[in-house]
Structure formats: C-alpha cells, structure tokens
C-alpha cells in the first residue's frame, strides 16, 4: 500500500490531518500574487491595429497591437470620463478613446487632446500601463509592481518551442476560485469522475514533495477496464494498436502555475505535457480564466498527429467539461455556505493549500486601488512608447 495511504489511515481517516487547517485563513479568501507574468489573451486574438478588453482580478485592461506589431496594455479607463479604452481606435502606436478622442501612447501618457488649444496645459496624469510580453502564442501582462517585472521570468517551456512537439492551446472561463483548479489537477483520486472518458483507472500515489512555493506529486495510472475515449489512447501514445499500459503522471504546482507530465511505462519518454495558468478575472476572484498549453510529442509516423488532432481535442474538451462541472459546484457550495466546509483528508491537498495561502495576498490588498496611476509623469511603465 502506498506510504501516503498508510499516513491517512494512521491519522484516523485524515481527521488529524484535516485539523491542521484549523485556525488557518480561508483559502478561498486569499488572492493570487500579482507579482508574476499572467496570460490574459491569445496573441492570435489581437491583430494589428486592434484593441480588446482583458482583466486581472478586477483590473480592467485594454490590450492593443500597434501598426508595428507591438502589443501594449493600458488601464481600461480613459483619464477624462472613465470610458473604457477598449472601445477605442488604434492609430499607429497610440490608442484613441472613442468618446472625446483623447489619445494615449503605449506607456499610458496622453499624447493628444484634439480640441485643447495649443499651449494649454494637459492633465499631469495619464493612465496606468502594464508591462507586457508575448510568448508561446499568449499575451502576458505583469499586474504587480512594475519595477519587479524586468527581473521576473516568464514560464520556461522547451516543448512549446520544439519542432518535435505540437501544441494545443486552451482558453476557457471557469466560475471558481483559482485554488479549486490547483486542487483538482493535483488530486488524481477523482478519476471516477472521468470513468466514461478514461475508462476505469486506479491512480497510485508514488510519492510527493513539497516546498515553500511548490508541491509535486507522482502517480502511477493503472488501467483496470472500461471503455476509453479514442482520443485518450492517441494522446497517451498508445497508437493504432490501442495498447493499454500504465502511465507515470507527474503534477506540479510551482506557484502560481501548474504542470502535468505523462510518461508511458512502455516508452520512458513523455507522451505529452501540460502547462496551465489560472488567472482571476473578477474583484472577488471567484471567476478564473484558464490558459493551457498541451504539448504533444509527434509520433514517428509523419502526419499521424495531424490526423489524430480532432480526436485528441474532443477528448480534452470532454475531460475539461467534467472538471469544470466539479470545481464550479465546489464554488457554489462555498458561496451558499459563506465559508469553506470541506473535510479534506488527503495530506497532499492540505500541503498545496498551505503553499497557496503562504504565497497569496489577502483579497483586500490584491485589488486595492487597481486603477490608480502610480506616478505623476503619466504612468510611464510597460513598453516604451514611440
């Protein structure tokens, strides 16, 4: 029997383990730390000379791509009448408000007020500009302290840049606190939920490690019968033969991101890996935008992955829909009860909750004054203006 299962039994079905949370802050009231790079849109959704709205934890952001291809991220409120700049018009490298045509550079400074007489004083403040970068087909913004952005690293995903892999991208809204999503992926004991898609699977926890900012768990997925979605077999590199072999699945929460890596025992090489970011959208952080990159190893047979792509996509959508149903139900229960009444017995999940608490920010601090322009020269943070 796995060591962690023994640990649960030794504590009286996890009663003492669950008691470790007594006196802790309710995790569902902990906000995500803004001092990281967070994806807020797909690059493909933002063509040149276009603007679109995005958000992070109640902070409305106007993303626009200038004529030269550079992406900018501004506070989505015109300094004049607070009308959303995401309703505006891109002109070259500037963004013009749709209401009174005030124009803003990519650093948030006001570049023109068309009806203001020459020589007249302009307002001393523009709008806040967020540092922004593009990578892996995603637009990342840094919503925290802009002075820390340069030293902060984007996620390192070598498979996403590898010609030996093909990447499937996901961007979905899930109506729950981001912590439910971390718990869902990390706790693989919920495979009963997916029995109609994955067949019957007996996950065995091989072990896990935890640190100040991370928790990593390793499972052995042993098939035990039942019908499996064809896309699941293709994703697991079972091929046309449909062989059913155990997979070693490693899942890691490395705050604030999460990864999964699946290695079939028969090959020893990862069939696929997943990177996911859960980005709160609303002020109370009860709605999350899930961005995922599923990086799938190309088989030796040319064109095989291309043919399998629709089946793999269908399979992943089915699994995601089931997980979304479960975590949104958890959030509804929290909303109805006004607190977290979960009776958790799995030490792994208790540990990831500690990591999320320790690295998060009280919600009142995360979202305080999100639209305040921090410096008097016009919020000159983010990309350099032309």
């Amino acid at each position: 029997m796995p060591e962690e299962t023994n640990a649960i039994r030794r504590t009286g079905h996890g009663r003492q383990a669950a008691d470790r949370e007594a006196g802790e802050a309710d995790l569902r009231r902990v906000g995500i730390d803004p001092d990281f790079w967070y994806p807020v849109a797909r690059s493909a959704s933002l063509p040149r000379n276009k603007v679109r709205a995005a958000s992070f934890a109640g902070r409305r952001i106007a993303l626009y791509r200038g004529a030269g291809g550079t992406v900018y991220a501004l506070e989505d409120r015109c300094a004049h009448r607070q009308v959303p700049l995401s309703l505006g018009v891109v002109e070259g490298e500037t963004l013009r408000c749709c209401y009174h045509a005030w124009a803003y550079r990519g650093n948030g400074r006001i570049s023109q007020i068309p009806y203001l007489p020459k020589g007249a004083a302009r307002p001393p403040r523009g709008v806040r500009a967020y540092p922004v970068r593009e990578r892996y087909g995603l637009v990342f913004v840094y919503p925290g302290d802009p002075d820390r952005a340069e030293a902060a690293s984007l996620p390192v995903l070598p498979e996403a840049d590898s010609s030996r892999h093909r990447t499937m991208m996901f961007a979905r809204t899930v109506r729950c606190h981001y912590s439910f999503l971390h718990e869902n992926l990390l706790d693989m004991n919920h495979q009963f939920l997916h029995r109609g898609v994955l067949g019957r699977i007996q996950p065995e926890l091989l072990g896990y490690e935890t640190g100040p900012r991370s928790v990593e768990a390793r499972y052995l997925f042993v098939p035990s019968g039942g019908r499996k979605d064809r896309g699941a077999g293709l994703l697991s590199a079972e091929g046309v033969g449909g062989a059913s072999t155990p997979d070693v699945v490693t899942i890691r929460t490395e705050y604030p991101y999460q990864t999964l890596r699946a290695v079939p025992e028969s090959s020893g090489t990862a069939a696929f890996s997943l990177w996911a970011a859960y980005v709160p959208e609303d002020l109370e952080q009860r709605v999350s935008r899930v961005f995922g990159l599923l990086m799938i190893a190309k088989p030796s047979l040319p064109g095989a992955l291309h043919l399998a792509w629709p089946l793999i996509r269908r399979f992943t959508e089915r699994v995601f829909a089931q997980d979304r149903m479960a975590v949104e139900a958890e959030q509804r229960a929290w909303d109805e009860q006004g607190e977290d009444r979960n009776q958790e017995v799995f030490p792994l999940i208790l540990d990831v909750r500690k990591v999320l608490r320790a690295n998060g920010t009280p919600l009142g601090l995360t979202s305080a004054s999100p639209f305040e322009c921090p410096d008097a020269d016009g919020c000159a943070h983010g990309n350099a203006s032309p």
Side-chain angles (χ1 to χ4, degrees):
M1 181 174 295
E3 182 179 348
E4 297 300 335
T5 303
N6 282 326
I8 293 175
R9 289 194 171 184
R10 286 197 301 269
T11 58
H13 297 288
R15 184 178 301 277
Q16 294 177 23
D19 286 346
R20 289 187 295 173
E21 288 198 292
E24 297 272 13
D26 188 333
L27 176 57
R28 320 310 173 187
R29 301 183 189 274
V30 175
I32 206 164
D33 185 353
D35 284 329
F36 287 90
W37 288 99
Y38 290 96
V40 292
R42 295 184 179 193
S43 293
S45 70
L46 193 63
R48 294 183 189 224
N49 302 310
K50 294 295 182 181
V51 59
R52 61 165 293 165
S55 62
F56 175 86
R59 310 179 189 201
R60 286 167 36 194
I61 300 171
L63 298 174
Y64 75 96
R65 191 185 298 276
T70 301
V71 175
Y72 305 93
L74 302 182
E75 168 190 345
D76 196 8
R77 295 177 187 265
C78 179
H80 181 214
R81 298 284 185 88
Q82 310 300 303
V83 172
L85 289 175
S86 57
L87 299 177
V89 177
V90 179
E91 296 179 354
E93 302 301 314
T94 64
L95 179 59
R96 192 176 293 277
C97 178
C98 70
Y99 195 12
H100 289 81
W102 286 31
Y104 296 85
R105 297 188 179 97
N107 62 4
R109 292 185 178 136
I110 300 167
S111 67
Q112 186 191 34
I113 301 175
Y115 52 86
L116 199 64
K118 264 191 176 180
R122 294 179 184 174
R125 296 180 185 271
V127 297
R128 178 174 180 176
Y130 293 92
V132 59
R133 295 181 185 174
E134 286 189 272
R135 194 71 192 273
Y136 312 123
L138 294 170
V139 178
F140 290 81
V141 299
Y142 194 89
D145 184 345
D147 292 332
R148 299 181 180 180
E150 189 64 32
S153 300
L154 286 169
V156 178
L157 306 173
E159 290 93 344
D161 291 326
S162 170
S163 61
R164 293 176 295 180
H165 294 77
R166 184 177 175 185
T167 300
M168 184 178 291
M169 186 182 296
F170 301 91
R172 298 286 186 274
T173 298
V174 183
R175 305 191 69 81
C176 76
H177 190 265
Y178 63 90
S179 60
F180 288 116
L181 293 158
H182 278 274
E183 293 176 18
N184 170 264
L185 188 61
L186 197 60
D187 187 353
M188 282 293 162
N189 294 305
H190 77 273
Q191 293 312 304
F192 183 76
L193 176 68
H194 303 308
R195 62 195 180 278
V197 183
L198 290 170
R200 293 192 297 274
I201 290 180
Q202 182 61 47
E204 177 186 335
L205 182 64
L206 301 176
Y208 77 91
E209 299 172 356
T210 185
R213 303 188 68 87
S214 66
V215 176
E216 180 176 286
R218 297 174 302 282
Y219 294 88
L220 183 67
F221 270 32
V222 181
S224 59
R227 185 175 180 181
K228 180 187 291 188
D229 185 284
R230 190 72 187 99
L234 293 168
L235 182 60
S236 298
E238 293 175 5
V240 294
S244 188
T245 59
D247 294 338
V248 176
V249 178
T250 303
I251 307 156
R252 181 177 181 87
T253 288
E254 180 75 37
Y255 193 91
Y257 313 122
Q258 200 164 38
T259 59
L260 181 150
R261 185 177 178 86
V263 180
E265 274 198 327
S266 57
S267 69
T269 302
F272 67 90
S273 58
L274 171 70
W275 174 86
Y278 312 126
V279 185
E281 291 192 329
D282 60 317
L283 195 65
E284 295 181 328
Q285 302 198 20
R286 297 184 191 178
V287 178
S288 300
R289 187 69 171 167
V290 177
F291 291 89
L293 298 174
L294 181 63
M295 295 153 281
I296 307 170
K298 294 180 180 178
S300 56
L301 183 64
L305 185 56
H306 175 75
L307 294 174
W309 203 252
L311 293 174
I312 294 174
R313 169 69 77 171
R314 186 190 68 173
F315 158 70
T316 55
E317 294 288 359
R318 291 180 68 188
V319 170
F320 184 83
Q322 292 173 341
D323 284 330
R324 176 161 54 187
M325 176 276 296
V327 295
E328 288 185 345
E330 289 186 277
Q331 181 65 62
R332 284 195 301 273
W334 190 96
D335 292 339
E336 292 163 359
Q337 296 163 351
E339 62 181 356
D340 193 343
R341 296 186 185 177
N342 289 1
Q343 299 187 44
E344 185 54 63
V345 298
F346 198 21
L348 168 64
I349 297 305
L350 295 174
D351 282 349
V352 79
R353 288 181 178 180
K354 284 188 173 182
V355 168
L356 296 175
R357 280 195 194 95
N359 291 281
T361 307
L363 276 175
L365 297 180
T366 301
S367 302
S369 303
F371 305 116
E372 182 179 351
C373 184
D375 52 46
D377 66 356
C379 307
H381 291 298
N383 282 342
S385 63

